Amino acid sequence: MFLLCQCEIFGFTYWKVDPFIKYLFGSSHEIEFEFVITSLTLCYGIGDAYGLLIFILQWFLIFIVPDRALCSVLLRRQFLFTSDLAEELKQFISKKNHELVYLYNSNLVDEIWKESRPETPNKPVRVHDLKYAGLDVASKLSSRRSELVKAGSSAIIVSALDEIAWLLNLRGSDIPHSPVVYAYLIVEIDGATLFIDNSKITEEVDDHLKKANIEIKPYNSIISETENLAARGAALWLDTSSVNAAIVNAYKAACDKYYQNYENKHKTGNKVFDGSNEKSDVGVPIAVHKLSPVSLAKAIKNETELKGMQDCHLWDAAALAQFWDWLETKITNNRVLTEVEVSDKLLEFRSKQDGFFDTISGSGPNGAVIHYKPEPESCSIVYPNKLFLLDSGAQYVAGTTDITRTVHFGKPTAREKECFTRVLQGHIALDQAVFPEDTPGFVLDAFARSFLWKVGLDYRHGTGHGVGAALNVHEGPQSISYRYGNFTPLVNGMIVSNEPGYYEDHAFGIRIENLLYVRNVETPNRFGGIQYLGFEKLTYVPIQIKLVDVSLLSATEIDWLNNYHSVVWEKVSPLLDGSAREWLWNNTRPIISESV
């Protein structure tokens, strides 16, 4: 066995091979390797992190492990890997005659950590009030149970934390900047069980759950309860793209045991668990492999959730106006500020509200790192003569915000203005898009890129992601991306970000991000008798006019920008006074070409 050093960069964990491997390669004897996968840190995109892991393994097996070697890949924590990812790893490494080995009773990192292992979070869970949720738990469960019946299943395991929070109208603080709690949920036709650390359950939460007929059991009992479902003959709905390998393997093993016992009793044929989606006979356990029905239901916001998102974006806009007024004043007065100081100040302006997530800011070259996060020991200062990109957001009790603005405190170059304007044109094009129902997000992605493409430019990230209502700032299943694998259609009530950008390595970064919600649009014609859709804005914060090359804009694009700023003033100015209100006025004036 050889050791891999675990490292973390930009939210992803990767491994460096121990130099001792070079000595082993010199040996003429057969070598046995064990590649220990200890953990996977997820940050911006779960798909990106998983792709990175596959790439590391591919590189390792092709360039590091010689053909004569025996290699075992040890999956230390089945609870940290979805069943689909584990299966993908298994299939991939088997192509080189290597083996994926599950470790059930051994946790190598914990053996090293011992008593120094950090305590698990134990802050109390809170009820997400109906005035923000818009739909009670009983109604949500009733709808999901109808879907269970249609799918031929009698139970479902929900393991995505935001799905559990949404379904039960609960919020927590176990994960920084995301109001969720570590838990599992089993929903059956006649009941439901929440698996959670009981110390987090307050009296209010306990009463809330009892009203919905939800039983509470210890968090660590999920495996035994999964096995019990098989023993009771449950047809279990499993979304293997989100449920971890430990649960899926436990249910499979329990089904195999069930059928073996049945054969022994009845001395009948060769029935084994095959994971098929066929409807089971009464009392016969079988897995129903389908995507979680909670994900789509959560993504389509009800009117109450949309109202909360609209409200919190106005509160956030007021805080941002105060912040930009403060920052411009400091920079104009030659105050030297670090990116962390700026981030902390924005947090201060939002501090009257609960539950913020970290501000992401980058000055000059750091802005060219797509999801750069400043740290005190390594961050840059904010330069008055360079572009400054600020990607930030906040958690409010009524909703979640996510916004990016790029500004310049001095005189931008012609190159910076051209790039910014082309990003703005893509932003406007997507904002104004009208499209037929059942259109997946990837169809719209080119709208935001086309103005960059015309001059041979592009950006290496998706254009839009889903956003939760007082939940995760990144949620699915919808997206607007150049990746063609997501066929989820955009639906009335969904929320997506609109964030095209351009990043010039070691120079600057540009991104303009608003949140939008999908709405029905009345069109003069309805070809095929179908509904057409468009977008409505949630974000109302000025876009810096100084960075716009007005000569590149059409009359329609100029009208869009002027109208947007007019609405920003109308909606946000009543929430401000003093210098912040003056700043908002100055930054929402109509474009006059001679002044740009």
Side-chain angles (χ1 to χ4, degrees):
M1 176 180 180
F2 73 90
L3 178 66
L4 293 175
C5 303
Q6 181 176 320
C7 306
E8 185 172 306
I9 182 168
F10 297 125
F12 298 121
T13 300
Y14 70 99
W15 297 266
K16 295 190 296 186
V17 180
D18 193 307
F20 184 63
I21 196 72
K22 295 179 180 178
Y23 169 79
L24 293 177
F25 283 166
S27 172
S28 60
H29 300 289
E30 187 177 70
I31 310 166
E32 181 171 354
F33 295 96
E34 290 182 353
F35 186 92
V36 184
I37 301 176
T38 58
S39 68
L40 180 64
T41 301
L42 303 179
C43 182
Y44 183 66
I46 189 169
D48 292 337
Y50 287 167
L52 178 64
L53 178 60
I54 294 295
F55 171 79
I56 292 168
L57 273 176
Q58 185 178 26
W59 173 85
F60 170 76
L61 293 174
I62 294 174
F63 297 106
I64 298 297
V65 180
D67 291 338
R68 66 181 181 273
L70 301 174
C71 178
S72 296
V73 179
L74 306 183
L75 194 59
R76 177 178 67 85
R77 286 188 175 180
Q78 295 184 71
F79 289 94
L80 296 183
F81 291 80
T82 68
S83 178
D84 281 357
L85 176 61
E87 185 61 28
E88 186 177 353
L89 289 174
K90 180 179 178 180
Q91 295 297 325
F92 174 76
I93 66 174
S94 67
K95 294 177 181 178
K96 287 182 66 72
N97 298 317
H98 302 313
E99 180 184 12
L100 180 67
V101 180
Y102 294 108
L103 299 183
Y104 289 92
N105 300 313
S106 176
N107 189 325
L108 303 180
V109 173
D110 284 351
E111 291 177 15
I112 297 173
W113 250 341
K114 296 187 184 299
E115 300 301 321
S116 63
R117 176 177 176 171
E119 294 292 329
T120 56
N122 62 352
K123 293 182 180 179
V125 182
R126 60 182 172 85
V127 175
H128 188 55
D129 199 283
L130 189 60
K131 67 182 179 180
Y132 303 119
L135 197 62
D136 60 43
V137 178
S139 298
K140 291 180 178 180
L141 288 175
S142 177
S143 297
R144 305 296 80 73
R145 285 170 176 141
S146 296
E147 292 173 291
L148 287 180
V149 173
K150 291 178 182 178
S153 58
S154 57
I156 183 173
I157 294 180
V158 183
S159 62
L161 303 188
D162 59 336
E163 293 183 13
I164 296 171
W166 178 84
L167 191 55
L168 301 185
N169 288 347
L170 295 176
R171 297 295 187 269
S173 55
D174 283 357
I175 296 180
H177 328 306
S178 295
V180 296
V181 60
Y182 289 127
Y184 295 99
L185 178 66
I186 293 179
V187 178
E188 299 182 72
I189 299 300
D190 56 354
T193 305
L194 178 66
F195 298 83
I196 190 172
D197 182 350
N198 195 61
S199 66
K200 301 175 185 178
I201 303 298
T202 64
E203 184 176 346
E204 180 189 15
V205 170
D206 188 52
D207 290 341
H208 171 77
L209 294 173
K210 284 178 179 177
K211 289 178 182 177
N213 192 30
I214 297 170
E215 185 179 0
I216 299 173
K217 288 189 177 181
Y219 179 79
N220 291 328
S221 65
I222 182 63
I223 295 298
S224 61
E225 289 300 319
T226 300
E227 294 168 338
N228 286 340
L229 286 173
R232 291 191 279 116
L236 184 60
W237 185 324
L238 288 171
D239 179 356
T240 53
S241 68
S242 63
V243 175
N244 62 53
I247 290 174
V248 174
N249 289 337
Y251 185 72
K252 178 182 183 300
C255 286
D256 289 343
K257 181 178 179 181
Y258 177 97
Y259 290 125
Q260 185 62 52
N261 291 339
Y262 183 89
E263 291 168 11
N264 291 340
K265 287 181 180 179
H266 299 84
K267 300 187 184 299
T268 58
N270 299 313
K271 178 69 174 178
V272 294
F273 175 82
D274 62 4
S276 70
N277 287 340
E278 297 177 3
K279 293 185 179 180
S280 69
D281 297 329
V282 176
V284 177
I286 198 166
V288 178
H289 290 172
K290 296 186 66 175
L291 293 176
S292 169
V294 183
S295 179
L296 183 60
K298 171 174 57 67
I300 302 173
K301 275 58 179 178
N302 59 51
E303 290 301 318
T304 301
E305 290 173 319
L306 286 175
K307 176 64 165 59
M309 291 291 280
Q310 290 169 329
D311 289 344
C312 75
H313 275 81
L314 294 183
W315 306 333
D316 207 50
L320 283 161
Q322 295 167 343
F323 164 78
W324 286 117
D325 172 48
W326 168 84
L327 182 58
E328 285 188 7
T329 300
K330 294 299 182 184
I331 297 298
T332 301
N333 292 330
N334 299 316
R335 169 76 180 274
V336 177
L337 296 168
T338 68
E339 293 167 337
V340 168
E341 288 176 317
V342 168
S343 176
D344 290 344
K345 191 65 178 182
L346 177 54
L347 181 66
E348 179 182 322
F349 282 114
R350 286 167 162 160
S351 62
K352 294 182 181 181
Q353 305 297 331
D354 295 329
F356 302 102
F357 64 82
D358 280 346
T359 297
I360 304 170
S361 62
S363 179
N366 286 339
V369 181
I370 294 174
H371 290 98
Y372 166 79
K373 180 180 182 298
E375 299 293 347
E377 64 277 4
S378 60
C379 71
S380 174
I381 64 170
V382 178
Y383 294 96
N385 59 343
K386 294 182 179 180
L387 286 173
F388 179 71
L389 185 154
L390 184 75
D391 184 341
S392 70
Q395 292 287 359
Y396 295 93
V397 67
T400 303
T401 69
D402 189 15
I403 175 175
T404 306
R405 289 294 183 266
T406 306
V407 301
H408 200 296
F409 299 107
K411 184 177 181 180
T413 67
R415 171 69 171 177
E416 290 169 336
K417 291 179 69 172
E418 179 190 0
C419 293
F420 182 90
T421 305
R422 291 188 178 278
V423 170
L424 174 61
Q425 288 175 299
H427 181 95
I428 294 172
L430 182 58
D431 180 272
Q432 292 186 311
V434 176
F435 49 94
E437 61 184 355
D438 295 326
T439 299
F442 71 78
V443 173
L444 304 181
D445 185 72
F447 286 44
R449 298 178 191 269
S450 61
F451 294 91
L452 290 167
W453 285 351
K454 288 177 180 178
V455 291
L457 300 179
D458 203 350
Y459 50 95
R460 298 187 184 97
H461 60 74
T463 300
H465 57 82
V467 179
L471 269 175
N472 291 353
V473 71
H474 284 229
E475 75 166 17
Q478 76 277 19
S479 70
I480 300 174
S481 175
Y482 59 90
R483 300 178 180 92
Y484 298 112
N486 188 347
F487 290 92
T488 304
L490 297 178
V491 178
N492 184 35
M494 283 182 171
I495 293 175
V496 292
S497 64
N498 174 7
E499 49 181 310
Y502 174 68
Y503 311 90
E504 203 145 283
D505 292 343
H506 311 297
F508 60 82
I510 295 167
R511 187 161 66 251
I512 303 171
E513 177 185 16
N514 282 356
L515 295 192
L516 311 170
Y517 68 89
V518 183
R519 60 181 178 86
N520 291 333
V521 173
E522 292 302 321
T523 54
N525 307 287
R526 296 184 65 175
F527 182 80
I530 62 175
Q531 178 66 55
Y532 280 75
L533 303 169
F535 296 112
E536 190 70 39
K537 299 173 192 65
L538 287 169
T539 307
Y540 290 99
V541 174
I543 295 168
Q544 192 178 56
I545 299 298
K546 181 196 299 186
L547 279 167
V548 178
D549 181 349
V550 74
S551 69
L552 294 176
L553 296 182
S554 68
T556 300
E557 290 166 338
I558 292 174
D559 287 343
W560 182 95
L561 190 55
N562 286 339
N563 290 337
Y564 177 66
H565 282 154
S566 176
V567 176
V568 170
W569 171 256
E570 178 186 337
K571 288 180 175 290
V572 182
S573 61
L575 306 177
L576 297 170
D577 55 23
S579 62
R581 196 170 192 270
E582 183 179 353
W583 177 91
L584 188 71
W585 171 262
N586 292 335
N587 284 272
T588 54
R589 295 307 85 213
I591 286 181
I592 302 174
S593 359
E594 290 79 6
S595 68
V596 178

